[in-house]
Amino acid sequence: MTEQVGGSSVSGGAGWRPDPFGRHEARFFDGSVWTPYVKDGDEHALDEPIEGVAPGALGGPPILTERVLVVEHGVEGAPPLGTCAIFASDGRRLGTVRGASASGQRLEVVDADGTRVLSLAEGSGRKRSVVVTGPLGSDVGRFVQHNRMGMTTYVMESSGGAELGAVRARTWAGWDIRIEDESARTLARVAKTWEGLDRSEFAVPEAYVVRVEHETPDPLRTLTIAAALSIEAMFRRDARG
């Protein structure tokens, strides 16, 4: 039997194959369809496939698809809170995080052409939350503050309220922040570490690096990047008082 995936075909019977969706080392093919059973080394997990999508075909603005982002504070002429420049690992300018309200309670992420990619705003309710919307105002999801085991955690929720993962840190004042899916697999890390990067490509030393470790389908992919880009304004702000 032959299964078409993004223009390529899979022949043969059931077995583990390289993940055609590009999110894991291997995915189990049952002889007719790709299953949610995946593995990375000796670690097994569940991750629903996106039928018909080949590696690299998830698409979208580079801000959402690059595996390494450098986020610089102190953009010239910008308001002090929430405004950062976004670069690729090779120094290409990808866009900007900018304040969209005087209070700093709303941010916009725009690409290099100034087109809005995402909006983030403080939500209403008893628990602190951050609501993420797409370029046309579509509801992507939200981050909701929880206190778990004595630590502040921001749970990522879909627009329908399903828990998708969390944004965690040992201390929000520090820069050892990780974004996880609901199985506690690390999707991205946010830190001030420069391994593998040429610092001379970046003008502002006050920067942090986002490293995406696992690519995931939306809305989790977009929420992961939204969290990473708003760390300073929406999450670490509480740590600064």
Side-chain angles (χ1 to χ4, degrees):
M1 174 128 187
T2 299
E3 169 79 3
Q4 288 291 132
V5 181
S8 61
S9 61
V10 179
S11 300
W16 290 100
R17 311 287 176 79
D19 183 9
F21 309 103
R23 304 197 296 271
H24 302 276
E25 290 180 10
R27 181 180 295 272
F28 194 80
F29 183 67
D30 71 1
S32 59
V33 297
W34 294 98
T35 74
Y37 300 103
V38 296
K39 64 179 181 179
D40 296 279
D42 294 330
E43 295 187 6
H44 290 249
L46 290 174
D47 181 15
E48 292 292 340
I50 307 176
E51 295 299 341
V53 179
L58 286 174
I63 289 173
L64 299 180
T65 60
E66 291 284 334
R67 300 299 292 266
V68 177
L69 299 172
V70 177
V71 185
E72 294 184 346
H73 311 307
V75 180
E76 184 177 355
L81 180 62
T83 302
C84 309
I86 309 166
F87 296 87
S89 59
D90 59 5
R92 287 177 294 120
R93 179 72 176 264
L94 299 180
T96 304
V97 182
R98 64 190 186 192
S101 67
S103 65
Q105 293 182 324
R106 185 169 177 269
L107 300 177
E108 288 183 341
V109 179
V110 298
D111 66 14
D113 296 326
T115 302
R116 188 174 62 189
V117 176
L118 295 170
S119 295
L120 299 96
E122 294 270 8
S124 59
R126 186 169 54 87
K127 292 183 177 180
R128 183 167 184 259
S129 63
V130 178
V131 178
V132 182
T133 55
L136 300 178
S138 57
D139 187 353
V140 176
R142 59 194 50 80
F143 309 105
V144 181
Q145 182 176 333
H146 290 256
N147 191 293
R148 296 183 172 178
M149 300 180 66
M151 299 175 63
T152 298
T153 296
Y154 285 86
V155 171
M156 294 190 290
E157 296 182 353
S158 70
S159 59
E163 186 170 325
L164 301 176
V167 185
R168 305 179 189 276
R170 288 190 177 91
T171 64
W172 289 100
W175 284 96
D176 181 14
I177 299 164
R178 64 188 187 278
I179 302 168
E180 303 175 343
D181 64 14
E182 59 182 344
S183 65
R185 178 183 61 167
T186 299
L187 302 178
R189 295 183 183 275
V190 179
K192 292 191 173 183
T193 55
W194 290 83
E195 290 86 350
L197 298 176
D198 182 357
R199 294 193 69 160
S200 66
E201 297 286 348
F202 306 97
V204 182
E206 184 61 24
Y208 64 85
V209 180
V210 181
R211 299 180 189 273
V212 177
E213 298 188 2
H214 291 280
E215 187 173 285
T216 57
D218 278 330
L220 189 54
R221 177 181 64 157
T222 296
L223 288 174
T224 295
I225 299 302
L229 295 179
S230 61
I231 290 292
E232 182 69 15
M234 292 296 194
F235 299 101
R236 293 185 72 250
R237 182 170 64 191
D238 286 348
R240 299 195 307 272

